Amino acid sequence: MKTSINYPDIFCQRLKAARLSKGLSQKSLGILAGIDEFVASTRINRYEKGVHQANIEIAQQLATALDVPLAYFYMVDDQLAELTLSWGKLSDLDKTELLAQAKAKSSLWLG
């Protein structure tokens, strides 16, 4: 039986994890993302709890404030999400080498 993926829950979990890893309060993150300081804490709390869903523009502002790729918030696979976070910190040469390795390994499976 195939289980459905709850993407809003994934967003909530990744947002909170990224915020905590940066050591930010909900209010601080909201302010960094350009949300009015008087509602910043409440808005971030509601995004993390899934009470409200951030639209793509707000999600991008949050990603920028947290220095994470936007895609990180939506990745189902935890290892891929972690790799995505690491990717941005690699040099261009390291990215090229890693991509070549991944392609070579995946071609072994594709035949």
Side-chain angles (χ1 to χ4, degrees), residues 49-65:
K49 298 283 186 192
V51 174
H52 294 294
Q53 290 183 358
N55 65 34
I56 197 71
E57 290 83 12
I58 295 294
Q60 180 60 66
Q61 288 172 247
L62 292 167
T64 299

Side-chain angles (χ1 to χ4, degrees), residues 6-44:
N6 190 330
Y7 289 100
D9 282 353
I10 293 168
F11 179 88
C12 297
Q13 293 165 9
R14 297 231 188 272
L15 175 62
K16 185 173 183 178
R19 177 181 63 79
L20 293 175
S21 76
K22 297 290 184 181
L24 295 171
S25 68
Q26 291 175 335
K27 183 174 185 171
S28 297
L29 173 56
I31 292 169
L32 285 172
I35 298 170
D36 183 280
E37 69 179 297
F38 296 106
V39 297
S41 180
T42 303
R43 292 257 313 267
I44 299 302

